[in-house]
Amino acid sequence: MAKQDLHAYSICEDAQAMLAKAQKDGVETVWDRLKAQQPQCGFCELGLSCRNCVMGPCRIDPFGDGPQRGICGADADVIVARNFGRMVAAGAAAHSDHGRDLVETLLAIGEGATTDYAIRDEAKLRRIAEEVGLDVAGKDVKEVALALAEQFYGDFGSRRGSVSFIDRVPAKRRELWKALDITPRGIDRDVVEMMHRTHMGVDNDAVNICLHAARLSLADGWAGSMIATELSDVIFGTPTPRPSKVNLGVLKEDHVNILVHGHSPIVSEMILAAVRDPALVARAKAAGAAGINLAGLCCTGNELLMRQGIPMAGNHLMTELALVTGAVEVIVVDYQCIMPSLVTVAGCYHSCIVTTSPKAKFTGATHIAFDMQNARQQAAAVVELAIERYKERDPARVDIPVAPVDIVSGFSNEAVLAALGGTAAPLIDAIKAGKIRGAVGIVGCNNPKVKHDYQNVHLIRECIKRDLLVLVTGCVTVSAGKQGLLVPGAADMAGPGLSEVCKALGIPPVLHVGSCVDNSRILQLCGMLATALGVDIADLPVAAAAPEWYSEKAATIGLYAVASGIFTVLGVEPPILGSKTVTDLALSGLEGVVGASFAVEGDPVKAADLIDTRIRTKRQALGLTP
Ligand code: SF4
Ligand code: MSK
């Protein structure tokens, strides 16, 4: 690879340096495999291939020359809608099953079945229990935990008319969902129903399938993900603003380096406790290291960053490259977004991939099974393994390419309201005065089809310049942080109004609000603002974007944002363009149904223009200056 090629893959200096080292070390990366896959299947890109039964597989000719129906008779619209529906179901299942693990942890705490986990925010536990209608008077913390766990188990079931947090949805939106018959009822029910509907010979109306996809995405956003967020706060603490650092420079050459990767805080919080154990630190020192260093990747990293200020080594496309530094002893993972290739890359160095969940084993990795009773002990075993690996490290192969960049994290809704003096009124006043013209949630992944971090970063820059407050989650956090956008000093890059507000409050113009499941914090904030103003979420000057998305979960997030009334720009085309009906619905038709739609735009300046136009229109409709 010539030098300019490396610059074409990523805007980040650490990525470019490690791509060059990967080439030198003979390590295959995600970009090499993308190249090897060319040309990718055009039928699949358009959503026009189907293998839902073994009369097939079938495909529809997009040019009209070949078959226009599958063997069962399904046309392009039905095939595209079914494929998209299953994609959304898989995304909702992933986030929500993560949420279920938090419910199981809460249950174990309530039953006294674990001593490794406890309640760190009892006030929030009681507040949420009361919010969902439980009587907590006179109950001790374990009794409340038990009752709330039972309540949330109900959200996964099929016997309720709506999910527990439905009252967080503004009244107008609830009425709209009811009229459309898309009120989310139960996570498992709505996911299972999508699998049923998309079996051969069930739901053969593309619009009907898409409406159910909207309902099940809402079950993720307003239940599965929201439960994951709220219970993570209850069990591990509600985040407050705190400084940290980001990029591969957070690795330490003279330390045992352990990275946590995946999505859940359940394992990573235990690893953090073990890393701080003086006996294990002493063992690391006896092995010749200066200490033990912990850093994060992807959303497990975001969870530890938000609550504990643990630094972030990288986002999705940096996970292989972190190993290429030659300085990582162990990557310990839970589930989701963990490339199977990590085992191979680790094998090129002295590194080890440790899996922890019975749901996510990787051939060739070391499995150290975590459960409610053994988590602390198993976390110590992971750290001991890392110390052993450190002894095998080849110092000649270590290259930590850059110095870390400062960031500030931890902007939970509670923290934002506290910074505003306890109510959202100052934020609403700033929006009314036009100092903050609106807010944009910029979320999601990296995708090797897009220059790494380019769209994420440039869209953020364009938005803050236009006095739009940006909220980031997931892998966009690292994109923003590495470019110096997550510190109060970034206010100098914002427009005059946003800059003034940020400087007055001492906050960055780009707020890190958490991991992928924490997009539910953005939903809740929108619900609060709309309710305070007596309007629907669709009336607010807000928007969302997933510039470099890749995952099924991101498709679900995008759809629950739109179904909640939030205009959403995707930077990568979803696999629906083979159906005019589904494409028209996504790009315009949904506007008349749920009050918001998708746009697809890969140019960050044009994407910002679309968002700006939307926010201008919404401000004018509210009688505000555009
Ligand atoms: Fe083909 Fe229909 Fe079977 Fe799909 S469900 S594979 S379109 S026959
Ligand atoms: S980790 S879903 S690559 S944001 Fe949430 Fe990052 Fe996307 Fe995974």
Side-chain angles (χ1 to χ4, degrees):
M1 253 178 263
K3 197 162 189 326
Q4 66 269 31
D5 288 334
L6 302 181
H7 286 242
Y9 290 153
S10 174
I11 65 167
C12 301
E13 200 186 325
D14 55 354
Q16 291 160 6
M18 288 306 99
L19 276 162
K21 184 167 187 286
Q23 198 174 45
K24 182 166 67 78
D25 292 356
V27 175
E28 180 190 88
T29 68
V30 62
W31 287 275
D32 298 316
R33 293 189 297 274
L34 175 65
K35 211 171 186 180
Q37 284 288 339
Q38 300 307 312
Q40 290 175 282
C41 173
F43 296 100
C44 291
E45 282 180 332
L46 294 170
L48 285 174
S49 51
C50 180
R51 50 180 178 79
N52 285 13
C53 84
V54 295
M55 288 192 286
C58 304
R59 54 194 192 180
I60 304 298
D61 183 348
F63 304 110
D65 301 328
Q68 293 302 296
R69 289 188 180 270
I71 293 162
C72 67
D75 63 12
D77 291 339
V78 168
I79 288 176
V80 167
R82 284 196 309 213
N83 288 339
F84 183 66
R86 286 193 170 198
M87 188 178 197
V88 174
H95 275 156
S96 298
D97 204 42
H98 162 176
R100 190 196 322 260
D101 285 345
L102 270 307
V103 178
E104 291 192 342
T105 308
L106 185 70
L107 184 76
I109 295 169
E111 287 175 337
T114 179
T115 51
D116 291 349
Y117 297 94
I119 303 296
R120 286 205 193 133
D121 190 342
E122 185 178 339
K124 183 158 185 174
L125 170 73
R126 290 182 179 277
R127 200 169 68 237
I128 291 174
E130 284 185 325
E131 182 188 346
V132 299
L134 301 176
D135 180 10
V136 300
K139 291 200 169 108
D140 70 20
V141 65
K142 282 190 176 174
E143 289 170 322
V144 180
L146 261 184
L148 189 59
E150 290 300 339
Q151 171 73 21
F152 284 151
Y153 269 123
D155 281 36
F156 288 83
S158 61
R159 301 187 64 181
R160 292 219 193 114
S162 60
V163 296
S164 293
F165 285 126
I166 197 73
D167 287 340
R168 290 185 174 187
V169 182
K172 288 185 180 171
R173 180 98 335 219
R174 287 202 305 270
E175 283 159 23
L176 177 67
W177 290 350
K178 199 170 169 192
L180 292 168
D181 196 20
I182 61 167
T183 302
R185 301 162 297 184
I187 296 150
D188 292 358
R189 174 179 186 167
D190 287 328
V191 170
V192 166
E193 187 172 311
M194 179 56 84
M195 299 311 285
H196 177 196
R197 285 178 185 233
T198 53
H199 186 279
M200 202 297 281
V202 185
D203 198 348
N204 288 302
D205 182 272
V207 174
N208 206 42
I209 295 169
C210 290
L211 280 175
H212 184 66
R215 168 155 54 189
L216 85 84
S217 75
L218 292 170
D220 174 14
W222 293 90
S225 284
M226 201 166 269
I227 289 168
T229 294
E230 298 295 50
L231 292 189
S232 295
D233 286 359
V234 164
I235 297 167
F236 300 111
T238 302
T240 52
R242 62 192 65 225
S244 190
K245 294 195 183 286
V246 67
N247 76 24
L248 288 183
V250 305
L251 297 172
K252 294 183 179 169
E253 196 160 353
D254 57 355
H255 279 58
V256 174
N257 287 304
I258 300 174
L259 296 179
V260 285
H261 180 16
H263 270 76
S264 164
I266 295 174
V267 167
S268 49
E269 284 274 353
M270 289 299 124
I271 300 288
L272 175 61
V275 159
R276 289 174 172 167
D277 179 345
L280 289 169
V281 174
R283 279 184 66 165
K285 288 185 174 168
I292 309 171
N293 181 41
L294 184 69
L297 294 166
C298 286
C299 278
T300 289
N302 276 302
E303 297 277 351
L304 282 190
L305 171 65
M306 275 288 276
R307 296 192 181 84
Q308 313 289 354
I310 295 302
M312 284 291 277
N315 50 10
H316 180 52
L317 287 185
M318 296 302 297
T319 56
E320 293 178 320
L321 300 181
L323 290 166
V324 175
T325 61
V328 174
E329 275 59 54
V330 162
I331 297 184
V332 54
V333 307
D334 41 73
Y335 36 60
Q336 299 172 22
C337 300
I338 303 146
M339 286 194 258
S341 63
L342 291 186
V343 176
T344 313
V345 180
C348 299
Y349 300 92
H350 69 298
S351 315
C352 182
I353 306 299
V354 175
T355 54
T356 57
S357 166
K359 298 173 195 174
K361 293 190 178 182
F362 288 50
T363 305
T366 300
H367 190 69
I368 299 183
F370 275 59
D371 63 34
M372 289 300 129
Q373 285 79 37
N374 71 7
R376 265 178 207 277
Q377 178 197 326
Q378 296 297 71
V382 172
V383 175
E384 283 167 10
L385 174 64
I387 294 168
E388 289 307 306
R389 288 287 166 151
Y390 177 80
K391 296 176 190 168
E392 306 297 318
R393 190 197 284 182
D394 178 355
R397 297 187 78 202
V398 172
D399 181 4
I400 299 171
V402 288
V405 176
D406 288 332
I407 58 174
V408 179
S409 168
F411 292 95
S412 60
N413 289 342
E414 288 86 343
V416 171
L417 290 182
L420 293 170
T423 77
L427 178 60
I428 292 172
D429 290 345
I431 292 171
K432 283 184 176 167
K435 288 186 175 168
I436 297 177
R437 293 179 52 243
V440 190
I442 302 183
V443 309
C445 325
N446 300 130
N447 184 325
K449 292 176 173 176
V450 174
K451 186 175 185 173
H452 171 235
D453 279 357
Y454 174 83
Q455 291 189 27
N456 288 342
V457 167
H458 286 276
L459 181 58
I460 293 171
R461 286 200 177 125
E462 283 298 321
C463 287
I464 62 172
K465 265 200 279 186
R466 299 164 195 233
D467 286 328
L468 302 174
L469 178 69
V470 171
L471 310 176
V472 292
T473 63
C475 287
V476 179
T477 308
V478 172
S479 318
K482 283 163 87 167
Q483 306 302 323
L485 290 159
L486 293 184
V487 285
D492 288 334
M493 293 184 239
L498 178 60
S499 175
E500 183 190 321
V501 173
C502 289
K503 284 177 179 168
L505 293 172
I507 58 169
V510 184
L511 300 180
H512 176 222
V513 305
S515 62
C516 289
V517 296
D518 291 338
N519 288 312
S520 66
R521 297 190 202 272
I522 301 177
L523 287 182
Q524 188 192 7
L525 188 62
C526 287
M528 277 164 40
L529 291 176
T531 301
L533 289 165
V535 299
D536 181 19
I537 294 174
D539 300 321
L540 295 175
V542 298
E548 300 180 26
W549 73 288
Y550 91 91
S551 83
E552 291 163 319
K553 292 175 291 168
T556 314
I557 293 166
L559 188 55
Y560 73 56
V562 167
S564 298
I566 303 170
F567 172 66
T568 299
V569 183
L570 303 176
V572 179
E573 288 170 358
I576 61 169
L577 301 186
S579 161
K580 187 167 174 355
T581 302
V582 176
T583 303
D584 288 350
L585 186 66
L587 300 185
S588 57
L590 280 172
E591 191 70 49
V593 182
V594 293
S597 61
F598 287 100
V600 179
E601 180 52 68
D603 178 324
V605 177
K606 289 182 185 161
D609 288 342
L610 291 170
I611 288 168
D612 200 335
T613 303
R614 176 74 174 194
I615 283 176
R616 204 169 276 273
T617 308
K618 293 296 170 186
R619 288 186 61 83
Q620 280 171 330
L622 288 169
L624 306 174
T625 57

